[in-house]
mmCIF file with all atom_site columns, all heavy atoms in Angstrom:
data_model
loop_
_atom_site.group_PDB
_atom_site.id
_atom_site.type_symbol
_atom_site.label_atom_id
_atom_site.label_alt_id
_atom_site.label_comp_id
_atom_site.label_asym_id
_atom_site.label_entity_id
_atom_site.label_seq_id
_atom_site.pdbx_PDB_ins_code
_atom_site.Cartn_x
_atom_site.Cartn_y
_atom_site.Cartn_z
_atom_site.occupancy
_atom_site.B_iso_or_equiv
_atom_site.pdbx_formal_charge
_atom_site.auth_seq_id
_atom_site.auth_comp_id
_atom_site.auth_asym_id
_atom_site.auth_atom_id
_atom_site.pdbx_PDB_model_num
ATOM 1   N N   . ARG A 1 71  ? 106.623 19.363 43.279 1.00 91.00 ? 249 ARG A N   1
ATOM 2   C CA  . ARG A 1 71  ? 106.534 18.096 44.002 1.00 91.00 ? 249 ARG A CA  1
ATOM 3   C C   . ARG A 1 71  ? 105.076 17.825 44.396 1.00 91.00 ? 249 ARG A C   1
ATOM 4   O O   . ARG A 1 71  ? 104.373 18.703 44.858 1.00 91.00 ? 249 ARG A O   1
ATOM 5   C CB  . ARG A 1 71  ? 107.413 18.164 45.253 1.00 91.00 ? 249 ARG A CB  1
ATOM 6   C CG  . ARG A 1 71  ? 107.382 16.901 46.088 1.00 91.00 ? 249 ARG A CG  1
ATOM 7   C CD  . ARG A 1 71  ? 108.269 16.974 47.272 1.00 91.00 ? 249 ARG A CD  1
ATOM 8   N NE  . ARG A 1 71  ? 107.793 17.998 48.208 1.00 91.00 ? 249 ARG A NE  1
ATOM 9   C CZ  . ARG A 1 71  ? 108.555 18.561 49.120 1.00 91.00 ? 249 ARG A CZ  1
ATOM 10  N NH1 . ARG A 1 71  ? 109.823 18.266 49.213 1.00 91.00 ? 249 ARG A NH1 1
ATOM 11  N NH2 . ARG A 1 71  ? 108.054 19.458 49.933 1.00 91.00 ? 249 ARG A NH2 1
ATOM 12  N N   . ASN A 1 72  ? 104.646 16.602 44.213 1.00 91.00 ? 250 ASN A N   1
ATOM 13  C CA  . ASN A 1 72  ? 103.300 16.128 44.546 1.00 91.00 ? 250 ASN A CA  1
ATOM 14  C C   . ASN A 1 72  ? 102.186 16.768 43.715 1.00 91.00 ? 250 ASN A C   1
ATOM 15  O O   . ASN A 1 72  ? 101.021 16.542 43.980 1.00 91.00 ? 250 ASN A O   1
ATOM 16  C CB  . ASN A 1 72  ? 102.985 16.324 46.034 1.00 91.00 ? 250 ASN A CB  1
ATOM 17  C CG  . ASN A 1 72  ? 103.898 15.536 46.931 1.00 91.00 ? 250 ASN A CG  1
ATOM 18  O OD1 . ASN A 1 72  ? 104.380 14.474 46.577 1.00 91.00 ? 250 ASN A OD1 1
ATOM 19  N ND2 . ASN A 1 72  ? 104.158 16.061 48.113 1.00 91.00 ? 250 ASN A ND2 1
ATOM 20  N N   . ALA A 1 100 ? 99.799  20.728 48.530 1.00 90.00 ? 278 ALA A N   1
ATOM 21  C CA  . ALA A 1 100 ? 100.399 19.463 48.081 1.00 90.00 ? 278 ALA A CA  1
ATOM 22  C C   . ALA A 1 100 ? 101.930 19.490 48.009 1.00 90.00 ? 278 ALA A C   1
ATOM 23  O O   . ALA A 1 100 ? 102.568 18.541 48.452 1.00 90.00 ? 278 ALA A O   1
ATOM 24  C CB  . ALA A 1 100 ? 99.803  19.049 46.739 1.00 90.00 ? 278 ALA A CB  1
ATOM 25  N N   . PRO A 1 101 ? 102.560 20.547 47.477 1.00 88.00 ? 279 PRO A N   1
ATOM 26  C CA  . PRO A 1 101 ? 104.028 20.527 47.408 1.00 88.00 ? 279 PRO A CA  1
ATOM 27  C C   . PRO A 1 101 ? 104.714 20.507 48.772 1.00 88.00 ? 279 PRO A C   1
ATOM 28  O O   . PRO A 1 101 ? 105.863 20.108 48.891 1.00 88.00 ? 279 PRO A O   1
ATOM 29  C CB  . PRO A 1 101 ? 104.371 21.817 46.658 1.00 88.00 ? 279 PRO A CB  1
ATOM 30  C CG  . PRO A 1 101 ? 103.154 22.134 45.876 1.00 88.00 ? 279 PRO A CG  1
ATOM 31  C CD  . PRO A 1 101 ? 102.010 21.676 46.734 1.00 88.00 ? 279 PRO A CD  1
ATOM 32  N N   . ARG A 1 102 ? 104.003 20.924 49.814 1.00 84.00 ? 280 ARG A N   1
ATOM 33  C CA  . ARG A 1 102 ? 104.573 20.924 51.164 1.00 84.00 ? 280 ARG A CA  1
ATOM 34  C C   . ARG A 1 102 ? 104.618 19.529 51.773 1.00 84.00 ? 280 ARG A C   1
ATOM 35  O O   . ARG A 1 102 ? 105.394 19.263 52.668 1.00 84.00 ? 280 ARG A O   1
ATOM 36  C CB  . ARG A 1 102 ? 103.739 21.789 52.101 1.00 84.00 ? 280 ARG A CB  1
ATOM 37  C CG  . ARG A 1 102 ? 103.719 23.231 51.730 1.00 84.00 ? 280 ARG A CG  1
ATOM 38  C CD  . ARG A 1 102 ? 102.748 23.934 52.672 1.00 84.00 ? 280 ARG A CD  1
ATOM 39  N NE  . ARG A 1 102 ? 102.591 25.311 52.337 1.00 84.00 ? 280 ARG A NE  1
ATOM 40  C CZ  . ARG A 1 102 ? 103.398 26.269 52.761 1.00 84.00 ? 280 ARG A CZ  1
ATOM 41  N NH1 . ARG A 1 102 ? 104.402 25.974 53.518 1.00 84.00 ? 280 ARG A NH1 1
ATOM 42  N NH2 . ARG A 1 102 ? 103.199 27.504 52.407 1.00 84.00 ? 280 ARG A NH2 1
ATOM 43  N N   . ARG A 1 103 ? 103.720 18.677 51.325 1.00 83.00 ? 281 ARG A N   1
ATOM 44  C CA  . ARG A 1 103 ? 103.637 17.330 51.891 1.00 83.00 ? 281 ARG A CA  1
ATOM 45  C C   . ARG A 1 103 ? 104.855 16.517 51.500 1.00 83.00 ? 281 ARG A C   1
ATOM 46  O O   . ARG A 1 103 ? 105.281 16.534 50.352 1.00 83.00 ? 281 ARG A O   1
ATOM 47  C CB  . ARG A 1 103 ? 102.386 16.620 51.400 1.00 83.00 ? 281 ARG A CB  1
ATOM 48  C CG  . ARG A 1 103 ? 101.116 17.209 51.936 1.00 83.00 ? 281 ARG A CG  1
ATOM 49  C CD  . ARG A 1 103 ? 99.924  16.343 51.542 1.00 83.00 ? 281 ARG A CD  1
ATOM 50  N NE  . ARG A 1 103 ? 98.722  17.146 51.604 1.00 83.00 ? 281 ARG A NE  1
ATOM 51  C CZ  . ARG A 1 103 ? 97.964  17.463 50.560 1.00 83.00 ? 281 ARG A CZ  1
ATOM 52  N NH1 . ARG A 1 103 ? 98.261  17.010 49.361 1.00 83.00 ? 281 ARG A NH1 1
ATOM 53  N NH2 . ARG A 1 103 ? 96.902  18.217 50.708 1.00 83.00 ? 281 ARG A NH2 1
ATOM 54  N N   . GLN A 1 104 ? 105.372 15.804 52.477 1.00 74.00 ? 282 GLN A N   1
ATOM 55  C CA  . GLN A 1 104 ? 106.484 14.899 52.201 1.00 74.00 ? 282 GLN A CA  1
ATOM 56  C C   . GLN A 1 104 ? 105.921 13.625 51.585 1.00 74.00 ? 282 GLN A C   1
ATOM 57  O O   . GLN A 1 104 ? 104.919 13.100 52.050 1.00 74.00 ? 282 GLN A O   1
ATOM 58  C CB  . GLN A 1 104 ? 107.235 14.564 53.486 1.00 74.00 ? 282 GLN A CB  1
ATOM 59  C CG  . GLN A 1 104 ? 107.960 15.740 54.080 1.00 74.00 ? 282 GLN A CG  1
ATOM 60  C CD  . GLN A 1 104 ? 109.068 16.239 53.168 1.00 74.00 ? 282 GLN A CD  1
ATOM 61  O OE1 . GLN A 1 104 ? 109.756 15.473 52.510 1.00 74.00 ? 282 GLN A OE1 1
ATOM 62  N NE2 . GLN A 1 104 ? 109.235 17.552 53.129 1.00 74.00 ? 282 GLN A NE2 1
ATOM 63  N N   . SER A 1 105 ? 106.553 13.137 50.558 1.00 61.00 ? 283 SER A N   1
ATOM 64  C CA  . SER A 1 105 ? 106.159 11.867 49.971 1.00 61.00 ? 283 SER A CA  1
ATOM 65  C C   . SER A 1 105 ? 106.647 10.756 50.876 1.00 61.00 ? 283 SER A C   1
ATOM 66  O O   . SER A 1 105 ? 107.787 10.768 51.328 1.00 61.00 ? 283 SER A O   1
ATOM 67  C CB  . SER A 1 105 ? 106.775 11.683 48.588 1.00 61.00 ? 283 SER A CB  1
ATOM 68  O OG  . SER A 1 105 ? 106.338 12.693 47.732 1.00 61.00 ? 283 SER A OG  1
ATOM 69  N N   . THR A 1 106 ? 105.763 9.812  51.136 1.00 53.00 ? 284 THR A N   1
ATOM 70  C CA  . THR A 1 106 ? 106.198 8.647  51.905 1.00 53.00 ? 284 THR A CA  1
ATOM 71  C C   . THR A 1 106 ? 106.934 7.717  50.962 1.00 53.00 ? 284 THR A C   1
ATOM 72  O O   . THR A 1 106 ? 106.694 7.738  49.755 1.00 53.00 ? 284 THR A O   1
ATOM 73  C CB  . THR A 1 106 ? 104.998 7.911  52.532 1.00 53.00 ? 284 THR A CB  1
ATOM 74  O OG1 . THR A 1 106 ? 104.172 7.414  51.480 1.00 53.00 ? 284 THR A OG1 1
ATOM 75  C CG2 . THR A 1 106 ? 104.202 8.831  53.443 1.00 53.00 ? 284 THR A CG2 1
ATOM 76  N N   . PRO A 1 107 ? 107.827 6.864  51.475 1.00 52.00 ? 285 PRO A N   1
ATOM 77  C CA  . PRO A 1 107 ? 108.544 5.946  50.586 1.00 52.00 ? 285 PRO A CA  1
ATOM 78  C C   . PRO A 1 107 ? 107.606 5.102  49.745 1.00 52.00 ? 285 PRO A C   1
ATOM 79  O O   . PRO A 1 107 ? 107.863 4.864  48.590 1.00 52.00 ? 285 PRO A O   1
ATOM 80  C CB  . PRO A 1 107 ? 109.366 5.089  51.549 1.00 52.00 ? 285 PRO A CB  1
ATOM 81  C CG  . PRO A 1 107 ? 109.550 5.948  52.756 1.00 52.00 ? 285 PRO A CG  1
ATOM 82  C CD  . PRO A 1 107 ? 108.287 6.769  52.855 1.00 52.00 ? 285 PRO A CD  1
ATOM 83  N N   . ALA A 1 108 ? 106.486 4.682  50.310 1.00 50.00 ? 286 ALA A N   1
ATOM 84  C CA  . ALA A 1 108 ? 105.551 3.849  49.551 1.00 50.00 ? 286 ALA A CA  1
ATOM 85  C C   . ALA A 1 108 ? 104.956 4.622  48.382 1.00 50.00 ? 286 ALA A C   1
ATOM 86  O O   . ALA A 1 108 ? 104.778 4.094  47.299 1.00 50.00 ? 286 ALA A O   1
ATOM 87  C CB  . ALA A 1 108 ? 104.444 3.334  50.458 1.00 50.00 ? 286 ALA A CB  1
ATOM 88  N N   . GLN A 1 109 ? 104.654 5.924  48.588 1.00 50.00 ? 287 GLN A N   1
ATOM 89  C CA  . GLN A 1 109 ? 104.098 6.731  47.508 1.00 50.00 ? 287 GLN A CA  1
ATOM 90  C C   . GLN A 1 109 ? 105.116 6.928  46.399 1.00 50.00 ? 287 GLN A C   1
ATOM 91  O O   . GLN A 1 109 ? 104.810 6.777  45.233 1.00 50.00 ? 287 GLN A O   1
ATOM 92  C CB  . GLN A 1 109 ? 103.686 8.111  48.025 1.00 50.00 ? 287 GLN A CB  1
ATOM 93  C CG  . GLN A 1 109 ? 102.452 8.111  48.877 1.00 50.00 ? 287 GLN A CG  1
ATOM 94  C CD  . GLN A 1 109 ? 102.210 9.486  49.462 1.00 50.00 ? 287 GLN A CD  1
ATOM 95  O OE1 . GLN A 1 109 ? 103.134 10.236 49.745 1.00 50.00 ? 287 GLN A OE1 1
ATOM 96  N NE2 . GLN A 1 109 ? 100.946 9.812  49.657 1.00 50.00 ? 287 GLN A NE2 1
ATOM 97  N N   . SER A 1 110 ? 106.341 7.279  46.760 1.00 51.00 ? 288 SER A N   1
ATOM 98  C CA  . SER A 1 110 ? 107.339 7.532  45.728 1.00 51.00 ? 288 SER A CA  1
ATOM 99  C C   . SER A 1 110 ? 107.761 6.246  45.037 1.00 51.00 ? 288 SER A C   1
ATOM 100 O O   . SER A 1 110 ? 108.032 6.236  43.851 1.00 51.00 ? 288 SER A O   1
ATOM 101 C CB  . SER A 1 110 ? 108.542 8.260  46.312 1.00 51.00 ? 288 SER A CB  1
ATOM 102 O OG  . SER A 1 110 ? 109.103 7.507  47.356 1.00 51.00 ? 288 SER A OG  1
ATOM 103 N N   . ASP A 1 111 ? 107.811 5.135  45.777 1.00 51.00 ? 289 ASP A N   1
ATOM 104 C CA  . ASP A 1 111 ? 108.191 3.863  45.172 1.00 51.00 ? 289 ASP A CA  1
ATOM 105 C C   . ASP A 1 111 ? 107.103 3.303  44.264 1.00 51.00 ? 289 ASP A C   1
ATOM 106 O O   . ASP A 1 111 ? 107.383 2.550  43.348 1.00 51.00 ? 289 ASP A O   1
ATOM 107 C CB  . ASP A 1 111 ? 108.518 2.822  46.248 1.00 51.00 ? 289 ASP A CB  1
ATOM 108 C CG  . ASP A 1 111 ? 109.866 3.074  46.890 1.00 51.00 ? 289 ASP A CG  1
ATOM 109 O OD1 . ASP A 1 111 ? 110.696 3.759  46.258 1.00 51.00 ? 289 ASP A OD1 1
ATOM 110 O OD2 . ASP A 1 111 ? 110.086 2.598  48.018 1.00 51.00 ? 289 ASP A OD2 1
#
Side-chain angles (χ1 to χ4, degrees):
R249 179 178 65 201
N250 297 330
R280 296 175 184 275
R281 292 187 202 115
Q282 293 295 323
S283 299
T284 63
Q287 287 174 328
S288 58
D289 285 339

